[in-house]
Amino acid sequence: QEFKKRRDMVVDRLNNIPGITCSVPAGAFYVYPSCSGCVGKKTPIGDTIKTDEDFMSYLLESEGVAGVHGEAFGLSPYFRLSYATDEKTLKDACGRIMRACENLK
């Protein structure tokens, strides 16, 4: 029940971020959101997000959020995030992703 609660919270928050869409996963401890709405946008320093790998590098460098780019799993333009941590950390990470996406032009 606790993991379902975390999963649902993460999916809901991700779906409220501009450029991100996320379906509810059937199992495991990961979500696979799409970052297709961020591809083609520019970061605050003028770099263009061309791929899901660029997007994950941007999240790590700008906000300290780590995940795995979808191409590593043959799932581009998606990325993988784990929700196997506490709710406070997940809320913080989703807030950081929101801030990063809002800063794209």
Side-chain angles (χ1 to χ4, degrees), residues 59-102:
L59 281 185
L60 183 60
E61 293 167 12
S62 68
E63 295 291 342
V65 175
V68 181
H69 62 95
E71 183 58 34
F73 305 98
L75 297 171
S76 188
Y78 294 82
F79 60 102
R80 184 178 85 167
L81 292 175
S82 172
Y83 56 88
T85 189
D86 63 275
E87 191 172 326
K88 181 177 183 272
T89 300
L90 294 170
K91 286 180 180 179
D92 180 58
C94 289
R96 290 171 184 240
I97 296 168
M98 169 81 82
R99 186 171 48 234
C101 290
E102 288 175 340

Side-chain angles (χ1 to χ4, degrees), residues 27-87:
F29 305 106
Y30 304 101
V31 291
Y32 286 91
S34 170
C35 60
S36 64
C38 298
V39 173
K41 294 190 175 184
K42 291 198 179 289
T43 70
I45 62 169
D47 294 334
T48 300
I49 304 290
K50 296 176 186 164
T51 65
D52 49 296
E53 186 171 7
D54 290 345
F55 181 72
M56 292 313 297
S57 293
Y58 167 64
L59 281 185
L60 183 60
E61 293 167 12
S62 68
E63 295 291 342
V65 175
V68 181
H69 62 95
E71 183 58 34
F73 305 98
L75 297 171
S76 188
Y78 294 82
F79 60 102
R80 184 178 85 167
L81 292 175
S82 172
Y83 56 88
T85 189
D86 63 275
E87 191 172 326

